[in-house]
Amino acid sequence: MAERTFSRGMIFGIVIIILMFGGLYYMLSAPTTLNGGLIEPSNTPYKDTINVTLYANALGWDYGVKGDHTNPTFNITVGTRIVFTVIEADTAPHTLTIADSPSESSTHLTLVTTSQLTQITGHSVTVSYVFDKVGTWTYWCEIHPTTMVGAINVLASANTSANANCHVSPDSAQHHSQNNNNLNSFFEFLLDISGAIIA
Amino acid sequence: MSTTDYLIEVSVTISIIFLILFYIYYKYNSAKSEMDQVAEKNNYVDTGSYFRDNFGGKTKAIGIKPFLLNDSKSIGIRYIITSIIFFFIAGTFGVIMRVSLVEPTPTLFLNRTVIYDVLTTQHGILMIYMWALGSALGFSYYLLPSFLKVKKDSMGGYSSAAYWIYLLGAIFIVLSRSSTRWYFYPPLSINLNPYNAGSFNWLAVLGMEMIFVGVVIAAVVVIKMIIMDRDDNVKIEQMPLFAWAVLFTLIMLVASAPFFMLGLAMTFYDFFNPVFFVSSSSSPLSFAEMFWIWGHPIVYIAVLPQFGLIYEIMPKFTGNKIYSYASGVLALGLLMPLSELVWGHHLLNSGFGIEWGLFFSTASFLVVIPSAITVFNYIATLWTSAKIRMTVPMLFVVNGIFDFIIGGITGVIQSNLELNEVLHGTYWVTGHFHFIFLGITTGIGFATIYMLFPSLTDGRKYNVRLAYWHFTLTAIGSFIMSMGWTVGGFYGMPRFVAGYFARFQAFQDTAILGGVIVGVAQLFFLANIFVTYSKKPSIPTNNALEDAYNLPVLENGGE
């Protein structure tokens, strides 16, 4: 037998070392972004917070009043954080999914999953998201995408006033519309004036 | 060509292929049964060994052959090698977890704390199922045929298939990068969102189920080996204590695994249609109960075979018999039903109600009785010995008994209903089971590997100096780490989180020191393999554990 300096035991040890570091590398490269990196979770500072309570019903999202299935449109200024409280209203599974496009998109972010919102009527889940991009966003339920869909209009901030950039128009029945923009700017103007007077 | 002609051609081709395959199988099978008869005539307990020794040349333990041969020794070596590899993989995860906690708000996984959860999950699952259970199965497959002088080494094909399913399941677990912890509680485990629960939970559930299929098949084969294939001269009341320990362990495994297997299957269904655990008619607690009916026995499954191994290793170095064989069997036998009854103590704070809490708390206290019988049996054996040879395996054994006493006492303390409200969810629990898992499972596992060293390395002696370093650093490091956790947990340090409050800095630093020492200690084992294999084989390949059992059967010729 010739003198062997590199035997199978050493190969075994080297395989162990390779597997140790390979496994560690694999674990450390685990995806930590939502849905494989389609939209990053927003850690940006927010200027204002709106609390929104949505009843999840297969016939449509209810805002405030349970049972009207309005799919409300929300008009907010950029940098607003919406705290969604999603409440199960029927016994069907629902999600709350958002995308920064005027309609449902595959590049989306599911804020509330079917497993978070159980099918027990009355169960609620609270999540929040900072809308930091101007444009029309869509929110919908992935299981009922045709009935449960609504729009979030994220408007450019007219000024930096902290208390003047929050407008919700829950009673608007038609989504994907910019109808209330004039009214909103008027409200903004009024609020600015009032703020100035108070100051 | 019409479709009908095409179908006819395809079916004729397939029929011919099947005929050829059947003919090959027929030839193989007749050759194998012929070989079986020849092997039996030559007093070989299994065909694989006969084939290996007479046609394939001398087999090497570390190599490809144990993975191709289906005799019990080869399958045992497979399990042992796999468990060592996964021990090092999972150990790396553990050390990195420790190191990441050098500061209260870790910056190592900045904004990616889910990585910590992934590492916790992988460390837990791989250590329990691959290292503890894998090494126990490996030692059973390797040692029991000699211990029991089995008449015929049967069902090798089943064992082999079970091993591959088990290994594939473990690979699935690693690939899944799941962060559900080892208990797979829904709704986290049925969450398919990579950010919230690692990546592919469905793969983890599938891998877990495969590990179970493999382990249950292997368990049934080993139970059959103990009960039916035992030599007629080995009476069941004179069986080695290791065989008793394995028998009780595997009966426990087969009895409790179906609950969690069913729970996993229901979880898998919940991916598509969440009806079982998050629907209006059920609750996630029902999964927790299904898990812990299995989850408590598994922690005994990781310890009981090692108790049996202590009974086998100890007499080799004390020079006398085990003090009391009957009480050893009695204690191991008592642990089996008791461990099936105490699972609720993992859920004492989940709203069972005081009656169930009292039942599970009392049952947990009763576990002290068999554990104490076992420990006193060890102490009595040491006490009555004329001279104890403190070799490395014996040091591991003594340290294991010492760690088991501390880990056992901390376990009894936390099974108290009132104290459990304070201690659950803290590092106290982590400290409790790491005392036992590092002292007994890992320590006795390595003691046995050192005992089997000449057989596993084709007749080489392990480097004693490196082995001493391995033992010393493991013992010191595990004690420091577990003690830091236990004391910190008593002050309320929460476990399973990627961070801690700054006032726990001292305890975490202690645990990090210990964890790094344990990690470095295992490198001495690797170094030992390197050093050992740089030399040529110098001693026979038999080992001290099997020698006492091997000699008589060869004289009789197994007839």
Side-chain angles (χ1 to χ4, degrees):
Chain A
M1 261 284 196
E3 191 76 27
R4 281 198 306 176
T5 53
F6 205 73
S7 61
R8 57 182 70 221
M10 293 185 182
I11 295 170
F12 178 61
I14 289 165
V15 164
I16 285 182
I17 291 169
I18 289 171
L19 285 175
M20 277 162 66
F21 286 99
L24 192 60
Y25 174 78
Y26 184 74
M27 292 305 153
L28 292 185
S29 62
T32 51
T33 50
L34 290 153
N35 283 348
L38 296 175
I39 298 180
E40 294 288 328
S42 183
N43 292 322
T44 49
Y46 51 90
K47 288 184 251 171
D48 207 345
T49 299
I50 305 173
N51 290 309
V52 166
T53 304
L54 287 170
Y55 287 91
N57 191 312
L59 300 171
W61 293 101
D62 299 343
Y63 179 77
V65 187
K66 196 175 162 187
D68 56 354
H69 316 315
T70 50
N71 286 326
T73 300
F74 301 102
N75 296 312
I76 57 170
T77 50
V78 67
T80 304
R81 183 178 73 141
I82 297 187
V83 179
F84 294 100
T85 303
V86 183
I87 303 176
E88 175 77 25
D90 51 5
T91 51
H94 298 292
T95 72
L96 174 61
T97 307
I98 57 170
D100 56 347
S101 59
S103 61
E104 292 98 322
S105 162
S106 60
T107 312
H108 59 249
L109 165 65
T110 299
L111 291 175
V112 179
T113 63
T114 50
S115 52
Q116 283 168 327
L117 185 70
T118 66
Q119 295 161 44
I120 303 163
T121 307
H123 182 222
S124 71
V125 176
T126 303
V127 291
S128 66
Y129 190 78
V130 180
F131 291 83
D132 52 356
K133 192 180 154 196
V134 177
T136 305
W137 292 58
T138 309
Y139 69 94
W140 74 97
C141 164
E142 281 187 300
I143 293 157
H144 310 95
T146 52
T147 51
M148 297 173 71
V149 56
I152 300 168
N153 295 318
V154 183
L155 311 169
S157 139
N159 49 57
T160 53
S161 176
N163 55 355
N165 48 13
C166 148
H167 304 286
V168 183
S169 60
D171 46 356
S172 161
Q174 65 277 66
H175 57 81
H176 294 197
S177 73
Q178 305 266 333
N179 286 352
N180 295 324
N181 275 1
N182 296 331
L183 201 60
N184 281 335
S185 48
F186 179 60
F187 275 135
E188 260 177 36
F189 174 67
L190 273 187
L191 283 166
D192 278 357
I193 295 287
S194 57
I197 289 169
I198 290 163
Chain B
M1 193 165 69
S2 73
T3 321
T4 325
D5 294 346
Y6 183 68
L7 276 177
I8 289 171
E9 274 190 18
V10 168
S11 42
V12 167
T13 319
I14 291 176
S15 310
I16 292 171
I17 292 172
F18 267 91
L19 272 176
I20 295 169
L21 283 177
F22 183 75
Y23 181 70
I24 293 171
Y25 177 71
Y26 168 74
K27 294 299 278 182
Y28 160 79
N29 217 16
S30 46
K32 187 172 179 298
S33 54
E34 208 171 298
M35 190 79 81
D36 280 345
Q37 288 174 0
V38 177
E40 264 189 40
K41 208 173 285 177
N42 287 292
N43 292 332
Y44 268 89
V45 287
D46 72 283
T47 318
S49 314
Y50 175 73
F51 182 79
R52 173 192 63 205
D53 290 354
N54 291 280
F55 301 100
K58 198 167 165 298
T59 187
K60 302 268 195 294
I62 298 174
I64 196 73
K65 269 202 189 132
F67 290 83
L68 299 175
L69 296 174
N70 285 353
D71 57 311
S72 284
K73 296 272 174 195
S74 298
I75 285 165
I77 289 170
R78 281 187 211 180
Y79 273 107
I80 292 171
I81 287 177
T82 317
S83 62
I84 291 173
I85 288 175
F86 276 97
F87 172 77
F88 276 94
I89 294 174
T92 320
F93 298 162
V95 173
I96 287 293
M97 269 156 56
R98 278 303 104 218
V99 171
S100 82
L101 292 176
V102 283
E103 41 198 342
T105 310
T107 50
L108 189 62
F109 308 135
L110 190 65
N111 290 334
R112 306 169 73 225
T113 44
V114 72
I115 296 283
Y116 183 89
D117 303 340
V118 172
L119 290 174
T120 316
T121 310
Q122 298 291 332
H123 175 77
I125 294 179
L126 296 182
M127 278 296 185
I128 288 175
Y129 290 98
M130 298 313 287
W131 167 240
L133 201 48
S135 65
L137 279 174
F139 296 141
S140 313
Y141 268 116
Y142 193 84
L143 294 173
L144 285 180
S146 321
F147 282 14
L148 303 171
K149 309 176 176 70
V150 292
K151 285 180 282 195
K152 188 168 181 337
D153 194 0
S154 57
M155 294 175 86
Y158 292 91
S159 307
S160 181
Y163 168 78
W164 291 115
I165 295 171
Y166 167 81
L167 181 63
L168 200 59
I171 291 170
F172 278 6
I173 291 279
V174 173
L175 290 180
S176 75
R177 292 193 288 219
S178 173
S179 70
T180 57
R181 315 301 190 278
W182 76 291
Y183 37 67
F184 286 90
Y185 281 175
L188 186 63
S189 68
I190 64 167
N191 201 329
L192 295 173
N193 187 333
Y195 184 70
N196 288 332
S199 307
F200 310 100
N201 273 336
W202 60 271
L203 196 59
V205 170
L206 207 61
M208 203 71 243
E209 194 79 53
M210 288 171 73
I211 286 183
F212 271 99
V213 170
V215 163
V216 170
I217 295 174
V220 171
V221 172
V222 175
I223 290 173
K224 188 228 174 211
M225 187 200 291
I226 295 173
I227 293 179
M228 294 167 75
D229 295 346
R230 210 174 59 243
D231 190 80
D232 298 334
N233 297 328
V234 184
K235 301 276 185 294
I236 195 157
E237 63 268 18
Q238 296 162 354
M239 263 193 337
L241 275 159
F242 176 60
W244 277 112
V246 172
L247 181 64
F248 289 136
T249 308
L250 296 183
I251 289 175
M252 199 157 79
L253 188 152
V254 174
S256 52
F259 293 93
F260 188 38
M261 289 171 82
L262 196 63
L264 283 172
M266 288 155 86
T267 312
F268 200 79
Y269 186 78
D270 268 5
F271 287 137
F272 308 103
N273 185 14
V275 294
F276 286 118
F277 300 123
V278 290
S279 72
S280 53
S281 55
S282 184
S283 91
L285 188 61
S286 57
F287 181 88
E289 288 168 10
M290 287 170 98
F291 174 76
W292 284 113
I293 293 176
W294 155 258
H296 192 78
I298 174 64
V299 298
Y300 281 63
I301 288 163
V303 170
L304 276 195
Q306 272 74 9
F307 279 174
L309 285 169
I310 295 180
Y311 281 127
E312 298 303 328
I313 294 171
M314 203 180 254
K316 302 281 182 296
F317 300 107
T318 55
N320 56 347
K321 279 186 173 175
I322 285 294
Y323 186 75
S324 163
Y325 176 89
S327 76
V329 177
L330 177 76
L332 292 170
L334 269 179
L335 277 172
M336 177 177 66
L338 281 178
S339 79
E340 300 273 6
L341 291 177
V342 299
W343 54 271
H345 68 210
H346 296 267
L347 300 166
L348 279 183
N349 290 280
S350 59
F352 268 158
I354 191 75
E355 295 86 356
W356 283 105
L358 280 174
F359 169 74
F360 286 125
S361 179
T362 314
S364 310
F365 280 120
L366 289 181
V367 175
V368 174
I369 296 167
S371 308
I373 293 175
T374 311
V375 168
F376 281 119
N377 210 346
Y378 297 149
I379 292 173
T381 311
L382 292 173
W383 197 275
T384 52
S385 163
K387 185 176 184 298
I388 303 171
R389 285 171 56 215
M390 279 295 180
T391 56
V392 175
M394 193 62 199
L395 285 169
F396 269 119
V397 165
V398 173
N399 177 58
I401 297 167
F402 175 68
D403 276 2
F404 178 71
I405 293 171
I406 303 176
I409 288 171
T410 50
V412 173
I413 289 171
Q414 77 198 5
S415 72
N416 181 303
L417 260 183
E418 293 81 11
L419 275 174
N420 190 275
E421 288 195 12
V422 184
L423 296 176
H424 86 280
T426 68
Y427 266 101
W428 172 281
V429 185
T430 319
H432 150 70
F433 69 76
H434 274 82
F435 264 122
I436 296 178
F437 278 24
L438 271 163
I440 294 284
T441 312
T442 307
I444 305 306
F446 275 116
T448 316
I449 289 170
Y450 280 126
M451 293 287 284
L452 298 176
F453 211 81
S455 304
L456 294 177
T457 58
D458 324 318
R460 290 174 170 87
K461 279 190 275 191
Y462 59 83
N463 186 311
V464 177
R465 183 179 290 266
L466 284 172
Y468 269 119
W469 276 104
H470 178 204
F471 161 74
T472 312
L473 291 181
T474 307
I476 293 173
S478 66
F479 185 85
I480 292 175
M481 179 173 75
S482 308
M483 201 43 109
W485 282 338
T486 310
V487 179
F490 198 78
Y491 285 102
M493 182 163 65
R495 75 189 183 116
F496 268 148
V497 281
Y500 49 95
F501 302 113
R503 63 195 160 100
F504 296 126
Q505 183 81 54
F507 305 115
Q508 284 287 355
D509 285 349
T510 316
I512 291 162
L513 175 71
V516 171
I517 292 175
V518 171
V520 170
Q522 308 316 313
L523 297 181
F524 280 90
F525 179 74
L526 270 191
N528 208 337
I529 291 181
F530 276 99
V531 170
T532 310
Y533 266 88
S534 65
K535 294 174 188 126
K536 279 184 185 172
S538 56
I539 53 173
T541 56
N542 56 344
N543 59 67
L545 261 186
E546 286 175 289
D547 277 354
Y549 295 100
N550 262 338
L551 290 172
V553 73
L554 294 175
E555 288 161 8
N556 285 339
E559 288 295 321

